[in-house]
Amino acid sequence: MHVAQALSFGSGELRQRSLALPQWLIALAYVLLTAAAVYPVLSVSIPPLVDYPGHLARLHVLTAVHDVPLLAERYAVDWNILPNLAMDAMVYGLAGWLPVEASLRLFVALAMVLIVAGSLAIHRALFGRIGLMPAAVFLLLYNHVLVFGFINYLFGAGLYLLIFAAWIGARHWSAWRRVLLFSLASVGLFFAHLFAFGMYGLSVAAYELWRSWSSQERNPRAFLQDWAITLAQFLPSIVLWAASPIGERNSYTKYGVLKDKLLALHSPVWTYGDPLDRVTFLVLGLLLVRGLFGGYLKIATELRYPLIALLVAALVMPNWLLGVWGVDFRLPLVLACLVAAGTRLDLPNAKAGLVLAAVGLALFGERVWTISETWHRHDAAFSEFRRASQAIEPGARLLMVQTQREDEKFDQVYWHLAAIAVIERSVFLPTLFSDRTAQPVHVTEAYEYIDTPFGTPITPDMLRAAADPDTARMTGEPLPTGHRLFWLNWPQNFDYVLHVHFGENENPMPALLRRVHHGSYFDIYRVVRG
């Protein structure tokens, strides 16, 4: 069978050739695989996801600011119409029942469960039953989006898959019922994550375009009614969009270089750059090509237009968009999930199915074990700093410096290590996520002069340069990306410096820094004035 035939199967034809495995057995397999997939998340105190410590510290401020005077002096909470609130709303709502750390780990696990559930829901909406092909999403749950800690987006992506599946299955519902329920769903998706909301709008529009184009009736009245229902669900969200502070965001946009696009291509399976990531990418790529050309994989016709629309969007998506970095490697994950969800697996015999299942389970088991080992190692490193943070005076102003290494180690997992001191010592940290257009936590007016809406550690060279009197006279105006030069004149503006050096523990400024704690991969210094 040719690729064109594999791409043109409708759901009705596929249902007739579905596998005869009992649904309870398939459901049990998904439950067990899901439990294994979320084990690494629930087995550590702080998963080593780049943005995770920053999110954890912000959520601590959100729930404790009214009870801790030192936090109240430095941070304030302002709930606004923000399309990025899924994590904050859930953790804040659970604050009376669960500690913040447990709630955030639960949120990450729930985001992964939603991606699995959404993929299964789309598959069932298209083919009438739960098949085995969506199991491929278990190889995608640990990906570059997760590793960078874009947890709100992952949660929104899972919601998008579920709501899109419901839209496909609700095509025969009454008009008022569809408008009411999907207006509420769209508003929820808007508040979960703006990018996920955009994917849903694009997917629904493309799906309805396919329905209009393939309709045999060509009834103008029915055509107008369908599109009126489709567009009406987005009206409340558009009103909220207009009332939100999104328009105040930085306009910085940059497409990126070839390296960015290659990373985006690998992002659905790319974690810390381990050889296993490359093996997983090659195996999935080869199976997809072989399955399409061999006729073993058939993509449902209903998903043809949504997949094309999202593929085009992924190709044109810049690396920076309106001051947000890493936009281009978010869509490929959803595309891969949609392919797995919307594909029917039709193997020639049981032996081929057993071989394919064995390969998939081996890859999945190895990925979960590798991630678990990596996370426990980093969790021990985070715990070391948590204990060492007691050397920092409560309420101090803390600046983080990180040495850049030339090898390929994923040092970004320590970018927000200092955020743990916000939890332990109520410090002021300039790089805590405090963008008023994205988060409900922001700094008080007294600390705005050394704050940045988002940021990463500075290097030892930047630290030395900013201590020079001539350099320190520079203004702290924002850079094009939206970052502020918060570290200028740091000897006067900060009390402590955390230096993550990975073993090369030379004091970067001996005349201005006095070490108060020496760790295995970091040092804590007190700033010496006068």
Side-chain angles (χ1 to χ4, degrees):
M1 182 176 293
H2 298 293
V3 178
Q5 292 175 287
L7 293 174
S8 61
F9 267 65
S11 58
E13 186 173 355
L14 290 174
R15 288 193 188 97
Q16 298 174 7
R17 305 183 63 183
S18 58
L19 295 176
L21 290 177
Q23 287 288 280
W24 69 266
L25 183 60
I26 296 176
L28 177 62
Y30 278 111
V31 170
L32 295 177
L33 289 172
T34 302
V38 301
Y39 166 76
V41 178
L42 303 177
S43 66
V44 296
S45 298
I46 300 180
L49 314 175
V50 176
D51 287 352
Y52 191 95
H55 289 312
L56 185 62
R58 187 189 75 253
L59 294 169
H60 170 74
V61 172
L62 187 69
T63 57
V65 67
H66 298 299
D67 302 319
V68 182
L70 283 175
L71 288 177
E73 292 176 14
R74 290 149 183 79
Y75 304 102
V77 174
D78 179 21
W79 292 98
N80 205 338
I81 302 175
L82 302 173
N84 191 35
L85 290 178
M87 179 195 311
D88 300 74
M90 175 177 165
V91 173
Y92 187 80
L94 291 175
W97 291 274
L98 284 176
V100 171
E101 292 190 19
S103 297
L104 187 52
R105 290 197 302 272
L106 180 62
F107 183 83
V108 177
L110 181 58
M112 299 170 72
V113 171
L114 283 176
I115 290 176
V116 174
S119 301
L120 289 175
I122 287 179
H123 193 82
R124 192 181 188 285
L126 292 171
F127 305 132
R129 70 193 312 271
I130 299 177
L132 294 176
M133 187 58 197
V137 300
F138 288 105
L139 297 177
L140 311 175
L141 290 180
Y142 289 94
N143 50 72
H144 209 60
V145 181
L146 176 66
V147 164
F148 261 96
F150 298 164
I151 313 168
N152 259 341
Y153 170 72
L154 287 175
F155 186 90
L159 278 183
Y160 148 74
L161 292 171
L162 277 174
I163 298 172
F164 186 43
W167 180 261
I168 294 173
R171 68 189 73 169
H172 301 303
W173 289 6
S174 62
W176 69 267
R177 188 182 179 193
R178 294 175 72 193
V179 171
L180 177 61
L181 293 180
F182 286 99
S183 293
L184 293 174
S186 297
V187 168
L189 193 54
F190 170 84
F191 278 113
H193 200 278
L194 182 60
F195 202 74
F197 172 76
M199 290 191 303
Y200 173 67
L202 183 61
S203 301
V204 167
Y207 174 76
E208 291 301 320
L209 185 63
W210 166 80
R211 287 192 63 201
S212 300
W213 185 260
S214 60
S215 176
Q216 302 295 325
E217 297 180 4
R218 305 291 181 182
N219 187 332
R221 182 177 179 180
F223 172 84
L224 292 175
Q225 181 179 355
D226 287 344
W227 277 98
I229 296 171
T230 300
L231 298 177
Q233 66 174 304
F234 297 108
L235 292 179
S237 301
I238 293 174
V239 173
L240 291 170
W241 188 326
S244 72
I246 300 174
E248 302 172 13
R249 287 189 175 180
N250 191 318
S251 60
Y252 181 77
T253 299
K254 182 180 178 182
Y255 187 71
V257 297
L258 179 61
K259 181 181 178 181
D260 299 324
K261 304 310 162 188
L262 292 177
L263 178 60
L265 178 65
H266 291 78
S267 62
V269 295
W270 202 256
T271 56
Y272 301 103
D274 297 323
L276 184 60
D277 295 339
R278 298 179 176 88
V279 172
T280 305
F281 180 78
L282 288 175
V283 169
L284 287 177
L286 289 174
L287 289 176
L288 179 62
V289 173
R290 180 70 182 90
L292 290 176
F293 278 91
Y296 308 128
L297 298 177
K298 292 94 176 180
I299 299 178
T301 308
E302 293 94 324
L303 277 193
R304 185 190 306 177
Y305 280 29
L307 284 173
I308 292 174
L310 290 176
L311 177 60
V312 172
L315 292 175
V316 302
M317 196 63 65
N319 184 242
W320 280 86
L321 178 62
L322 300 179
V324 179
W325 175 80
V327 179
D328 53 354
F329 64 76
R330 306 187 191 203
L331 260 176
L333 170 64
V334 173
L335 266 171
C337 291
L338 275 181
V339 170
T343 302
R344 165 74 159 82
L345 179 64
D346 187 22
L347 295 173
N349 50 61
K351 182 179 179 180
L354 291 175
V355 171
L356 187 61
V359 171
L361 283 174
L363 275 177
F364 172 70
E366 186 67 20
R367 285 178 69 83
V368 170
W369 182 85
T370 301
I371 286 292
S372 182
E373 291 294 306
T374 301
W375 285 20
H376 280 88
R377 185 169 64 252
H378 286 300
D379 192 39
F382 287 141
S383 297
E384 180 188 352
F385 174 70
R386 169 167 273 173
R387 295 189 297 269
S389 66
Q390 302 305 310
I392 302 173
E393 182 182 348
R397 295 165 295 179
L398 178 62
L399 178 66
M400 181 171 169
V401 180
Q402 183 167 323
T403 298
Q404 291 183 335
R405 294 190 286 184
E406 298 298 329
D407 55 23
E408 296 184 2
K409 290 183 173 64
F410 199 80
D411 294 342
Q412 291 97 322
V413 296
Y414 298 104
W415 274 359
H416 298 285
L417 175 70
I420 296 174
V422 176
I423 303 170
E424 297 296 322
R425 308 300 284 169
S426 300
V427 305
F428 170 78
L429 185 68
T431 54
L432 186 71
F433 299 132
S434 59
D435 186 353
R436 292 174 182 265
T437 67
Q439 283 93 28
V441 171
H442 59 85
V443 301
T444 56
E445 185 177 354
Y447 288 86
E448 287 182 349
Y449 72 107
I450 52 173
D451 181 56
T452 183
F454 49 88
T456 56
I458 64 173
T459 65
D461 289 339
M462 295 165 70
L463 182 79
R464 285 185 282 265
D468 182 84
D470 293 331
T471 307
R473 281 196 289 268
M474 295 168 56
T475 63
E477 291 299 316
L479 299 171
T481 56
H483 296 80
R484 291 185 64 89
L485 305 178
F486 56 90
W487 62 93
L488 295 181
N489 200 22
W490 61 266
Q492 299 301 319
N493 294 331
F494 290 90
D495 306 306
Y496 287 83
V497 171
L498 167 64
H499 181 201
V500 178
H501 51 64
F502 303 109
E504 300 175 6
N505 57 340
E506 180 182 356
N507 189 331
M509 293 290 293
L512 296 174
L513 298 174
R514 179 173 60 86
R515 187 163 65 187
V516 296
H517 182 88
H518 173 56
S520 63
Y521 66 99
F522 65 89
D523 286 331
I524 301 174
Y525 296 94
R526 185 178 182 90
V527 177
V528 179
R529 297 193 179 93

